[in-house]
Amino acid sequence: MLGFISARQVGLDDPLRLRRAESTQRVLSLELNKDRDVERIHGSGVNTLDIEPIEGRYMLSGGSDGVIVLYDLENLSRKPSYTCKAICTVNHPDVHRFSVETVQWYPHDTGMFTSSSFNKTLKIWDTNTLQPADVFNFEATVYSHHMSPVATKHCLIAVGTKSPKVQLCDLKSGSCSHILQGHRQEVLAVAWSPRYEYILATASADSGVKLWDVRRASGCLLSLDQHNGEKSKASSEAANTAHNGRVNGLCFTSDGLHLLTTGTDDRMRLWNSSTGENTLVNYGKVCNESRKGLQFTISRGCSPEFVFVPYDSTIAIYTVYSGELITVLKGHYSTVDCCVFQPNFQELYSGGRDCNILAWVPALREPVPDDDTEKQCLNPAYEDAWSGSDDEG
């Protein structure tokens, strides 16, 4: 580390390499922190978490009890041991009568957030008043929704419901602008590309994953095929399957070049989001019995990047591009349904059916005596972060 710092000071090295190396080492040392708790509010399982991207300070949670909680993650006490307090709890009649499945901050401002529920609604909230600014009603149960993190030319929210049709709701007009048709069963997960504002990925119980350009009215761009068969025309793309079970999780890598999917066939697959090619990375068995959406997350700013996946009552950490299982985080007493990564401090928060939200933070490093330096062994995944051949451009 001292070598990285001195090389950066004299201009021999890109500062990004130091940042990547430190971020990677911190992720590799994630552990359940005995000095940090998240206040327990939910009376039943925690389904969804989201940390706002502006400051990385405020976190939303949504539970099976229909309650939404807003937490402040900052340590205001300045003491080593502290509890992340709930700033407010939204549980009045204006909230959702049934399980809250997805919460998301407005990507450009903490003054607004969204929530969707099994009560067939998507609600837009004013953070300051904690009152709904708008409500979208649907004819079917809502499983998932997502706003684009990079959109500047549209304000569309993609919504996946028990209907096979993907709904696009326009915040500007307050109505559903159009519908994407192509799936044959309920849509369990939706995700906008972080690279192209008009590209949307959707996952369904029909074993299919589709990529859409929402400006096109003629159908999807790609229907992902786990067997990498010959490129299908639109007429036969319905036969393509991404998994051999329900596909209930989607997550783009931070650069938007790849897409990770999870299914109830206990598999996770990595796809080239431009070509739709299955990269055939083998993650082994990734246990997944969820009947609804599964929220997993990917690191940002590491080398290599890592994916954090709920696995029964644990969270499995894999390298994204090689599929190596790095470690398993154990702490929950019941099934984990969601996790979210905080890239500023390389922290992970997870929610489970035990009603708990756990904070996983990098372990403090003990000073190493000079004569023991040679005895240290690097985690194989970490060696990539120190390689001089990395293209950090």
Side-chain angles (χ1 to χ4, degrees):
M1 187 57 64
L2 290 176
F4 269 92
I5 294 173
S6 59
R8 187 187 67 172
Q9 285 176 337
V10 298
L12 294 176
D13 219 340
D14 189 327
L16 183 60
R17 289 190 65 228
L18 170 60
R19 183 169 179 171
R20 283 189 185 278
E22 181 64 13
S23 296
T24 304
Q25 179 161 334
R26 287 173 63 82
V27 168
L28 290 170
S29 67
L30 281 176
E31 64 178 14
L32 188 61
N33 193 317
K34 63 182 184 298
D35 294 324
R36 188 183 313 186
D37 288 320
V38 180
E39 186 176 0
R40 180 169 171 165
I41 301 291
H42 292 283
S44 56
V46 180
N47 295 329
T48 174
L49 297 170
D50 191 41
I51 297 175
E52 47 85 14
I54 310 301
E55 299 178 72
R57 174 177 173 179
Y58 300 105
M59 180 173 71
L60 289 168
S61 68
S64 299
D65 51 6
V67 173
I68 299 170
V69 185
L70 198 162
Y71 295 94
D72 186 347
L73 302 180
E74 189 167 309
N75 182 6
L76 299 176
S77 70
R78 305 301 178 193
K79 297 177 182 177
S81 298
Y82 72 100
T83 298
C84 299
K85 291 289 187 181
I87 300 176
C88 56
T89 301
V90 191
N91 58 4
H92 51 72
D94 285 329
V95 198
H96 299 279
R97 286 181 291 116
F98 303 124
S99 175
V100 177
E101 291 303 300
T102 309
V103 290
Q104 186 189 3
W105 287 100
Y106 181 58
H108 310 294
D109 187 354
T110 56
M112 185 170 76
F113 66 89
T114 57
S115 65
S116 58
S117 163
F118 273 3
N119 71 345
K120 306 178 182 179
T121 61
L122 164 68
K123 295 189 176 183
I124 317 300
W125 297 86
D126 183 322
T127 310
N128 298 310
T129 64
L130 294 179
Q131 295 294 324
D134 204 351
V135 179
F136 294 89
N137 293 288
F138 304 94
E139 296 179 358
T141 299
V142 179
Y143 287 110
S144 174
H145 77 268
H146 194 232
M147 282 183 287
S148 170
V150 296
T152 57
K153 297 177 182 176
H154 71 75
C155 293
L156 297 175
I157 304 178
V159 183
T161 71
K162 202 166 186 177
S163 161
K165 300 174 183 177
V166 180
Q167 310 270 350
L168 296 180
C169 301
D170 192 339
L171 282 179
K172 288 182 178 178
S173 67
S175 62
C176 289
S177 60
H178 55 294
I179 291 170
L180 305 176
Q181 299 190 69
H183 287 295
R184 301 186 305 279
Q185 295 183 42
E186 59 259 46
V187 178
L188 299 174
V190 295
W192 291 96
S193 165
R195 192 177 187 89
Y196 303 110
E197 64 178 285
Y198 291 106
I199 300 300
L200 174 71
T202 60
S204 170
D206 63 9
S207 303
V209 175
K210 296 183 184 296
L211 289 170
W212 313 78
D213 183 333
V214 298
R215 296 168 296 185
R216 285 178 34 153
S218 57
C220 67
L221 283 177
L222 293 168
S223 183
L224 304 187
D225 179 10
Q226 60 181 306
H227 305 296
N228 284 334
E230 189 176 336
K231 290 290 186 294
S232 305
K233 298 299 181 184
S235 59
S236 59
E237 278 190 344
N240 288 352
T241 59
H243 287 263
N244 295 322
R246 299 158 61 89
V247 189
N248 59 0
L250 286 172
C251 191
F252 280 96
T253 54
S254 58
D255 58 12
L257 296 178
H258 291 86
L259 175 70
L260 269 167
T261 62
T262 58
T264 55
D265 56 355
D266 294 338
R267 289 288 178 265
M268 181 163 64
R269 294 198 165 92
L270 181 70
W271 309 84
N272 182 314
S273 59
S274 297
T275 64
E277 177 188 10
N278 180 0
T279 62
L280 303 178
V281 174
N282 182 12
Y283 300 94
K285 181 180 180 180
V286 183
C287 189
N288 178 358
E289 298 177 353
S290 177
R291 298 293 299 170
K292 50 188 183 179
L294 184 74
Q295 182 185 333
F296 65 100
T297 188
I298 297 176
S299 65
R300 197 164 79 231
C302 299
S303 178
E305 296 290 10
F306 303 94
V307 55
F308 309 89
V309 189
Y311 192 116
D312 287 335
S313 61
T314 68
I315 301 153
I317 304 179
Y318 300 87
T319 53
V320 171
Y321 300 108
S322 68
E324 179 188 357
L325 176 62
I326 300 299
T327 189
V328 175
L329 303 178
K330 300 178 180 179
H332 283 280
Y333 297 111
S334 187
T335 302
V336 181
D337 282 322
C338 58
C339 57
V340 64
F341 184 68
Q342 211 284 25
N344 297 346
F345 300 106
Q346 295 78 45
E347 297 169 346
L348 184 75
Y349 294 85
S350 60
R353 297 180 194 175
D354 56 5
C355 311
N356 291 321
I357 299 174
L358 300 184
W360 309 86
V361 302
L364 290 174
R365 275 174 279 168
E366 298 294 333
V368 179
D370 292 340
D371 57 348
D372 286 350
T373 304
E374 297 299 325
K375 300 177 183 179
Q376 296 182 76
C377 294
L378 286 177
N379 185 307
Y382 182 48
E383 292 173 356
D384 291 347
W386 297 81
S387 170
S389 62
D390 286 354
D391 180 12
E392 300 292 355

